[in-house]
């Protein structure tokens, strides 16, 4: 679809490539377009925030809301459910789509369910899953065979973890992985995408009803039974929270693990510092999150009145995207070498890859725990791990909002 005023303000917009063929180049072009860059999302105009300080301020500005009805292009009928990205915005009622008191009520329930204590309790399970997947990786890479680090290790690990947290039958993990992959892909026809969203609603509704009838020790039951923060969650709200948490949770961790491995293999001097203990794995994780963010663009907030951003104005009724990959390389925040991967930066990387303010990602701690277990275990088992193809041959999936590689072929040399 094409909006007639796609370039009405700010000059020609930077077109966000649905095929993600040049992510570094696109990041640079959006950054160069200014603190508030005009972008084009499959024919729909929006604004992208590109500076750390501006994003930090705007993410707590109550004039920017998640309410889709504050978006002029939606209320005018210019954007409809035919737009392939609408499912990331019109995603049902959950803590991801409401603001203010209602957001606090829904998030309080999730905070009860996803506590540091619960994360620490599942650490042995994550370690067990990691060891099992490393065994599978070793089996696949025997006798010098090329094996895909993504499909065998980085992808199934977070889905196993989030499935366990929700109390999902492990046999459903493959189906969920397939459905979310099709949902995010720009190659999926929109009618098929809408159908699979309906299928996911049925899956999660059945899960919630089963846990309502027979609660167990899992996140789904905890959301249903949570008794703080106002009225109990409705069935729709529990379904909405779970659907979005699984999508964001497993995709983020896949990207974090693969991007960290990719960066270390491309910087062998830094890898040596980690393997010798000179630099911590925590430093690797935080620098990876800053430099090569798992989420490239977070859709979308809407201005309820004109909002000034530097010398520009985000007009009332328009949509704004937080471009985390651009923000992570902001030299005003991270110095003149912000485009460089450096795990030994003199100061810890104060990034916002998991967001900031009321809507900060509730699964951030889980993703860090998973990566903090998976990465050292991977290199401890396979210290001579290397890419089986030149780095420049790695390709991104056609996913406009995620930094998601098609595959990651490696040789283990174990």
């Amino acid at each position: 679809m094409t909006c007639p005023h796609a370039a009405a303000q700010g000059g020609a917009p930077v077109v966000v490539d649905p095929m993600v063929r040049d992510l570094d180049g696109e990041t640079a072009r959006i950054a160069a377009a200014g603190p508030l860059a005009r972008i084009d999302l499959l024919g729909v105009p929006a604004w992208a925030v590109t500076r750390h300080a501006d994003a930090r301020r705007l993410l707590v500005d109550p004039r920017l809301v998640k309410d889709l009805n504050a978006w002029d292009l939606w209320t005018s009928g210019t954007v409809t459910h035919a737009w392939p990205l609408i499912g990331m915005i019109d995603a049902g009622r959950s803590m991801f789509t409401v603001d203010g008191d209602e957001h606090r009520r829904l998030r309080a329930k999730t905070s009860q369910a996803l506590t540091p204590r619960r994360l620490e309790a599942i650490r042995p399970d994550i370690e067990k899953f990691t060891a099992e997947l490393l065994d599978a990786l070793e089996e696949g890479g025997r006798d010098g065979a090329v094996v895909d680090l993504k499909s065998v290790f980085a992808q199934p690990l977070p889905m196993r973890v989030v499935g366990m947290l929700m109390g999902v039958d492990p046999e459903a993990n493959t189906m969920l992985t397939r459905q979310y992959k099709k949902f995010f892909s720009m190659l999926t026809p929109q009618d098929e995408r809408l159908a699979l969203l309906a299928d996911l609603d049925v899956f999660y509704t059945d899960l919630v009803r089963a846990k309502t009838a027979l609660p167990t020790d899992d996140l789904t039951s905890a959301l249903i039974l949570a008794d703080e923060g106002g009225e109990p969650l409705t069935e729709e709200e529990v379904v909405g929270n779970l659907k979005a948490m699984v999508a964001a949770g497993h995709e983020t961790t896949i990207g974090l693990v693969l991007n960290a491995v990719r960066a270390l293999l491309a910087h062998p001097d830094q890898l040596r510092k980690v393997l010798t203990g000179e630099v911590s794995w925590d430093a690797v994780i935080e620098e990876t999150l800053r430099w090569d963010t798992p989420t490239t663009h977070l859709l979308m907030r809407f201005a309820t009145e004109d909002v000034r951003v530097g010398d520009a104005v985000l007009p009332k009724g328009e949509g704004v995207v937080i471009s985390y990959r651009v923000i992570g390389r902001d030299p005003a925040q991270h110095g003149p070498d912000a485009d460089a991967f450096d795990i030994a930066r003199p100061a810890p990387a104060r990034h916002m890859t998991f967001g900031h303010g009321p809507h900060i990602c509730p699964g951030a701690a889980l993703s860090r725990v998973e990566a903090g277990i998976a990465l050292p275990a991977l290199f401890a088992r396979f210290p001579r791990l290397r890419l089986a193809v030149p780095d420049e041959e790695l390709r991104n999936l056609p996913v406009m909002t995620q930094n998601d590689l098609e595959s990651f072929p490696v040789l283990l040399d174990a």
Side-chain angles (χ1 to χ4, degrees):
M1 66 189 301
T2 301
C3 292
H5 58 289
Q9 300 186 61
V14 178
V15 177
V16 179
D17 181 12
M19 297 296 104
V20 198
R21 286 166 287 202
D22 180 19
L23 190 54
D24 284 341
E26 181 177 283
T27 297
R29 288 190 295 274
I30 294 174
L36 190 63
R38 197 61 163 163
I39 61 173
D40 180 288
L41 300 168
L42 298 175
V44 171
W47 299 92
V49 181
T50 68
R51 305 293 190 262
H52 179 101
D54 291 329
R56 188 173 179 85
R57 176 174 59 83
L58 292 173
L59 285 169
V60 296
D61 192 325
R63 295 173 296 175
L64 295 180
V65 300
K66 291 295 193 84
D67 184 0
L68 189 59
N69 292 311
W71 191 18
D72 286 351
L73 293 180
W74 176 257
T75 56
S76 69
T78 305
V79 172
T80 68
H81 281 104
W83 186 47
L85 297 174
I86 194 63
M88 299 182 191
I89 303 171
D90 187 22
R93 183 174 173 77
S94 76
M95 65 179 175
F96 298 92
T97 58
V98 298
D99 300 286
D101 290 341
E102 281 300 276
H103 172 261
R104 285 186 284 274
R105 181 179 74 87
L106 296 181
R107 190 179 177 95
K109 307 297 186 180
T110 305
S111 298
Q112 286 179 263
L114 201 60
T115 61
R117 180 179 177 182
R118 182 180 290 270
L119 294 183
E120 194 58 34
I122 67 170
R123 179 178 289 272
D125 296 292
I126 300 175
E127 292 171 345
K128 175 176 176 288
F129 295 156
T130 298
E132 291 173 353
L133 292 171
L134 289 174
D135 289 344
L137 193 68
E138 184 170 5
E139 181 64 29
R142 286 192 187 282
D143 301 321
V146 174
V147 61
D148 181 15
L149 185 68
K150 178 180 179 179
S151 63
V152 179
F153 181 69
Q155 183 169 272
L157 176 61
M159 186 56 81
R160 280 195 189 185
V161 173
V162 77
M164 178 192 66
L165 274 171
M166 291 196 310
V168 172
D169 187 330
E171 293 183 359
N173 289 343
T174 300
M175 178 275 293
L176 289 172
T177 299
R178 181 178 64 252
Q179 291 288 74
Y180 279 109
K181 181 178 179 180
K182 289 169 66 177
F183 167 72
F184 283 114
S185 174
M186 291 297 99
L187 297 179
T188 302
Q190 182 63 355
D191 57 348
E192 187 177 335
R193 182 179 289 106
L194 294 174
L196 72 86
L197 282 174
D199 290 343
L200 284 172
D201 279 339
V202 171
F203 172 82
Y204 286 115
T205 298
D206 288 346
L207 175 65
V208 170
R209 290 175 180 175
K211 297 297 181 180
T212 300
L214 187 62
T216 52
D217 183 20
D218 52 56
L219 188 149
T220 302
S221 299
L223 285 174
I224 295 166
L225 299 173
D227 56 4
E228 295 180 9
E231 293 297 318
L233 268 64
T234 65
E235 179 178 275
E236 177 192 4
E237 290 166 344
V238 176
V239 168
N241 275 4
L242 291 174
K243 186 168 59 175
M245 287 170 65
V246 176
H250 85 280
E251 282 288 337
T252 297
T253 306
I254 294 169
L256 172 54
V257 170
L258 291 182
N259 294 347
V261 174
R262 184 180 189 179
L264 289 172
L265 294 182
H267 299 82
D269 55 329
Q270 298 192 48
L271 176 58
R272 283 193 295 272
K273 290 179 180 179
V274 184
L275 296 183
T276 59
E278 183 179 341
V279 179
S280 71
W281 283 104
D282 285 346
V284 173
I285 290 168
E286 297 310 314
E287 178 67 352
T288 301
L289 287 168
R290 176 200 74 82
W291 182 72
D292 201 12
T293 57
T295 299
T296 49
H297 307 291
L298 186 66
L299 311 184
M300 185 182 295
R301 286 172 170 78
F302 310 102
T304 58
E305 59 183 81
D306 289 357
V307 179
R308 181 162 291 280
V309 183
D311 294 331
V313 172
L314 171 64
K316 176 183 177 181
E318 298 211 11
V320 63
V321 171
I322 309 299
S323 289
Y324 283 116
R325 196 171 195 271
V326 182
I327 290 167
R329 300 191 181 195
D330 179 6
Q333 172 68 18
H334 300 292
D337 64 341
D339 279 335
F341 177 78
D342 183 4
I343 60 175
R345 287 184 177 275
R350 189 182 180 211
H351 61 79
M352 291 192 304
T353 295
F354 288 116
H356 174 66
H359 283 279
I360 191 169
C361 177
L366 174 61
S367 188
R368 286 184 167 106
V369 168
E370 290 177 86
I373 291 171
L375 289 168
L378 173 67
F379 281 98
R381 179 82 73 97
F382 309 112
R384 293 185 294 279
L385 179 79
R386 68 185 192 276
L387 269 171
V389 298
D391 181 86
E392 58 269 21
E393 291 186 13
L394 296 178
R395 296 287 180 266
N396 276 73
L397 285 170
V399 178
M400 295 180 71
T401 56
Q402 308 288 345
N403 186 1
D404 195 355
L405 293 170
E406 289 181 352
S407 62
F408 201 95
V410 295
L411 295 165
L412 305 177
D413 278 356

